[in-house]
């Protein structure tokens, strides 16, 4: 089955099986290197990508669901100016995720602040709870998000 | 690595009529809703037998939510997260609680109500809450020459997990929930129903009272691998009491529940039995404290 989509802004065509998980497509059939095949069953939460700007577990998305969609992996996201807000959040809170979950946690944080300009603690923890890696304390994670929200707000004010 | 793997064909019906025709033609095809349960089983890919997939996500009729004076009707392709956005003032607290606890946001926004009612080997949050609300599910059976529609109480589908496979290859199209308000509603899970189904317990309660009398008390206890347990006797044993309950009434009810669970045909573990009794007792105390506020 031929499937065309955009990965990090670049048009891509896969000739693949309809039910092949997006995670495997990215790892085996594209030049994306920030993802590792993890549990593959929705349990570890370490395979987050953005599908049309919404966070999904790439191991839960079959190839046929990505037709004509926009996929953003961490590699694409880190080139945007939005990434700086979160990077500053990590720096100022003095808490950075480990190398296993960094990319997924960062995309999840982006989703919290993208979908809600004033997220409550419950919203933050709900969004991040899909990622099971406990390298960062919950309170620190909330702090990171709050700092990132502050920078994002400034960015929005400057733009308007 | 995947040589010899036969490709799955994906069918994309856009209307219910088209879906029913397709299902009639392909009764063995895999219905694909949100795909969270399907994809979490690693055995699916690569599908060695080139199964047909019928994707339900483009069937417009299945994505609707409507409300009348008496009912809320939810199409089977509505995601659990979309249901939560309907608003707390419309949703029964027991149903909203079940939706909220159906996994993290990322799962809830992909998983559908139809999918959660079609899991063959699990009875999880949503069926447990809908069972106590006496909700019904609309089933389209495409097997007959003239496809038939049937409304089935959720509880009947889940009284034993095994019985659900008899509904294959039917399609769940809608869920109908009565809007009758309860005076006390409760939803709680003990353990992790999806990850550790053999240890977890889910409890839903719906009750009406006019102090001090209880006019109605319904409960559903789910043991995810085996099905949903309900008992008219226990419901009566609760509702014959006045509120607030006395401790000796609570102890008597819990003793009966423990005996009933022991005698039931659910092969639950002692841990699950204990968890079921404790969460049931907790709900009785919660109802008590609410009634004296
Ligand atoms: C990581 C993770 C955590 C979870 N945590 C929880 C939790 O805490 N609590 C909880 O209750 N649940 C939990 N779940 C389970 C989740 O609720 C189910 O996976 C989900 O409800 C299934 O819905 P779906 O739309 O994704 O179904 P799918 O995966 O698409 O389908 C599931 C089954 O239903 C069939 N089917 C789907 N739609 C229909 C239809 N309309 N008619 C007939 N058959 C149909 C499919 O053929 C398939 O057999 C979790 C799941 C995951 C992956
Ligand atoms: S690889 Fe573990 S959740 Fe996707």
């Amino acid at each position: 089955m031929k499937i065309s989509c955009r990965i990090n802004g670049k048009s891509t065509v896969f000739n693949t099986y309809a039910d092949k998980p997006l995670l495997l497509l990215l790892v085996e059939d594209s030049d994306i290197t920030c993802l590792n095949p993890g549990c593959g069953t929705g349990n570890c939460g370490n395979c987050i990508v953005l599908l049309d700007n919404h966070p999904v577990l790439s191991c839960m998305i079959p190839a046929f669901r990505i037709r004509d969609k926009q996929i953003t992996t961490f590699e694409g996201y880190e080139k945007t100016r939005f990434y700086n807000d979160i990077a500053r959040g990590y720096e100022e809170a003095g808490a950075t995720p480990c190398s296993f979950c960094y990319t997924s946690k960062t995309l999840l944080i982006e989703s919290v602040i993208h979908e809600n300009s004033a997220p409550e603690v419950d919203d933050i923890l709900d969004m991040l709870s899909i990622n099971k890696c406990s390298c960062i304390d919950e309170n620190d994670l909330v702090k990171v998000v709050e700092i990132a929200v502050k920078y994002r707000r400034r960015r929005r004010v400057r733009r308007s | 690595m995947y040589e010899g793997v036969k490709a799955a064909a994906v069918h994309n019906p856009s209307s219910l009529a088209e879906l029913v025709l397709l299902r009639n033609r392909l009764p063995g095809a895999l219905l694909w809703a949100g795909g969270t349960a399907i994809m979490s089983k690693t055995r699916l890919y690569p599908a060695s037998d080139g199964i047909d997939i019928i994707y339900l996500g483009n069937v417009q009729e299945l994505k609707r939510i409507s409300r009348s004076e008496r009912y809320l009707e939810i199409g089977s392709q509505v995601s659990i997260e979309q249901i939560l956005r309907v608003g707390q003032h419309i949703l029964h607290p027991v149903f909203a609680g079940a939706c909220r606890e159906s996994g993290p946001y990322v799962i809830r926004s992909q998983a559908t109500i139809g999918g959660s009612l079609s899991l063959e080997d699990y009875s999880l949050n949503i069926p447990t809450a809908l069972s106590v609300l006496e909700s019904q599910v609309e089933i389209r059976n495409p097997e007959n020459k003239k496809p038939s529609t049937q409304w089935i109480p959720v509880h009947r589908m889940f009284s034993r997990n095994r019985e659900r496979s008899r509904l294959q290859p039917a399609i769940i199209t809608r869920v109908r929930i009565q809007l009758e308000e309860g005076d006390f509603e409760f939803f709680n899970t003990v353990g992790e129903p999806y990850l550790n189904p053999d240890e977890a317990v889910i409890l839903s309660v719906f009750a009406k009272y006019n102090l001090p009398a209880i006019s109605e008390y319904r409960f559903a206890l789910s043991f995810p691998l085996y099905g949903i347990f309900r008992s008219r006797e226990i419901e009566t044993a609760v509702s014959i009491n006045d509120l607030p309950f006395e401790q000796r009434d609570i102890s008597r009810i819990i003793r009966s529940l423990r005996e009933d669970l022991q005698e039931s045909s659910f092969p639950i573990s002692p841990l699950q039995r204990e968890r079921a009794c404790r969460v049931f007792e907790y709900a009785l105390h919660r109802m008590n404290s609410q009634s004296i506020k």
Side-chain angles (χ1 to χ4, degrees):
Chain A
M1 159 178 245
K2 268 208 167 68
I3 293 171
S4 51
C5 61
R6 291 181 82 81
I7 299 179
N8 298 326
K10 214 170 92 190
S11 289
T12 310
V13 179
F14 290 110
N15 195 352
T16 187
Y17 298 104
D19 54 349
K20 183 163 183 172
L22 172 58
L23 173 64
L24 293 186
L25 277 179
L26 294 171
V27 169
E28 296 176 354
D29 306 335
S30 82
D31 52 5
I32 298 299
T33 54
C34 67
L35 288 160
N36 299 308
C39 68
T41 59
N43 286 326
C44 70
N46 263 338
C47 62
I48 296 284
V49 300
L50 304 179
L51 188 67
D52 281 350
N53 283 325
H54 291 289
V56 293
L57 292 172
S58 54
C59 68
M60 298 257 118
I61 303 291
F64 75 87
R65 296 285 318 276
I66 62 164
R67 189 185 295 277
D68 300 331
K69 302 264 184 202
Q70 182 84 42
I71 295 145
T72 310
T73 66
F74 178 75
E75 271 127 324
Y77 174 70
E78 78 176 326
K79 295 191 186 116
T80 67
R81 57 191 187 285
F82 299 125
Y83 171 56
N84 291 339
D85 302 336
I86 298 172
R88 285 167 95 168
Y90 290 141
E91 202 181 301
E92 286 182 30
T96 304
C98 69
S99 55
F100 287 114
C101 70
Y102 187 93
T103 62
S104 287
K105 279 211 171 78
T106 304
L107 291 177
L108 288 167
I109 294 175
E110 173 56 35
S111 304
V112 183
I113 53 187
H114 179 78
E115 289 178 16
N116 192 340
S117 56
E120 307 266 336
V121 171
D122 284 351
D123 301 324
I124 299 170
L125 296 180
D126 183 20
M127 179 69 84
L128 282 143
S129 64
I130 189 79
N131 184 273
K132 299 291 187 315
C133 181
S134 55
C135 60
I136 291 196
D137 174 76
E138 276 188 354
N139 295 327
D140 286 341
L141 259 181
V142 172
K143 223 185 291 168
V144 170
V145 176
E146 284 169 351
I147 297 168
V149 164
K150 187 181 74 188
Y151 283 112
R152 185 63 55 89
R153 226 179 263 143
R154 279 191 205 161
R155 192 183 292 283
R156 285 190 183 122
V157 171
R158 275 204 306 272
R159 280 187 61 198
S160 56
Chain B
M1 180 175 175
Y2 305 117
E3 291 92 24
V5 174
K6 230 171 119 196
V10 182
H11 305 268
N12 269 300
S14 57
S15 71
L16 193 51
E18 212 184 310
L19 167 63
V20 172
L21 276 177
L22 202 51
R23 186 57 161 168
N24 194 319
R25 198 157 55 79
L26 303 167
L30 177 65
L31 294 178
W32 196 295
T36 59
I38 297 173
M39 292 296 280
S40 63
K41 293 185 175 151
T42 38
R43 66 176 161 75
L44 184 79
Y45 178 80
S48 50
D49 45 359
I51 43 154
D52 280 289
I53 291 172
I54 302 179
Y55 178 55
L56 305 176
N58 295 321
V59 181
Q60 294 310 314
E61 292 95 323
L62 304 184
K63 299 207 241 176
R64 293 185 189 137
I65 300 183
S66 66
R67 186 190 167 193
S68 67
E69 242 172 60
R70 294 180 55 202
Y71 302 112
L72 178 65
E73 286 190 352
I74 305 177
S76 62
Q77 267 304 115
V78 175
S79 78
I80 298 174
E81 189 57 29
Q82 277 171 296
I83 296 173
L84 283 169
R85 294 210 201 105
V86 166
Q88 305 295 330
H89 57 292
I90 297 174
L91 296 182
H92 279 280
V94 63
F95 182 45
C99 290
R100 247 192 323 272
E101 290 188 34
S102 289
Y105 171 88
V106 173
I107 297 295
R108 293 194 316 262
S109 44
Q110 188 176 334
T112 65
I113 186 167
S116 70
L117 288 163
S118 310
L119 301 176
E120 249 180 63
D121 31 9
Y122 287 107
S123 49
L124 295 171
N125 297 11
I126 289 185
T128 313
L130 293 181
S131 174
V132 89
L133 294 172
E134 317 250 291
S135 305
Q136 305 216 328
V137 167
E138 186 190 49
I139 306 273
R140 291 272 169 136
N141 196 336
E143 267 192 325
N144 313 335
K145 274 224 168 82
K146 194 166 171 271
S148 60
T149 299
Q150 205 185 345
W151 284 95
I152 301 184
V154 172
H155 173 58
R156 235 181 66 203
M157 290 169 63
F158 283 86
S159 54
R160 289 283 186 285
N161 280 354
R162 286 189 307 280
E163 288 168 19
R164 224 158 33 258
S165 50
R166 278 201 253 121
L167 294 173
Q168 294 284 10
I171 307 162
I172 291 186
T173 44
R174 267 186 298 177
V175 179
R176 180 182 281 169
I177 305 168
Q178 290 191 47
L179 287 173
E180 160 203 34
E181 257 181 65
D183 298 302
F184 175 75
E185 295 188 30
F186 178 88
F187 178 84
N188 209 339
T189 58
V190 189
E192 295 176 303
Y194 195 69
L195 298 178
N196 283 314
D198 50 343
E199 291 183 353
V201 173
I202 308 168
L203 173 67
S204 292
V205 176
F206 175 93
K208 294 178 87 156
Y209 59 77
N210 194 352
L211 286 173
I214 301 171
S215 53
E216 193 156 5
Y217 186 90
R218 303 198 292 257
F219 79 95
L221 260 174
S222 170
F223 304 102
L225 287 182
Y226 311 117
I228 294 177
F229 173 84
R230 290 186 68 181
S231 156
R232 289 267 173 260
E233 289 77 42
I234 300 287
E235 287 174 353
T236 310
V238 175
S239 56
I240 53 170
N241 296 285
D242 278 348
L243 282 167
F245 302 115
E246 303 211 0
Q247 184 52 48
R248 61 161 198 270
D249 299 328
I250 293 182
S251 305
R252 189 167 29 78
I253 294 164
I254 297 303
R255 251 196 325 276
S256 310
L257 176 66
R258 186 168 276 120
E259 281 166 18
D260 275 19
L261 287 175
Q262 216 142 13
E263 285 160 17
S264 79
S265 55
F266 288 77
I268 57 173
S269 63
L271 172 67
Q272 273 181 310
R273 194 162 47 242
E274 196 51 38
R275 284 179 156 177
C277 291
R278 293 213 182 169
V279 70
F280 195 91
E281 180 169 359
Y282 176 63
L284 291 176
H285 284 291
R286 283 283 295 272
M287 186 165 164
N288 239 8
S289 54
Q290 182 183 299
S291 73
I292 52 181
K293 259 185 199 155

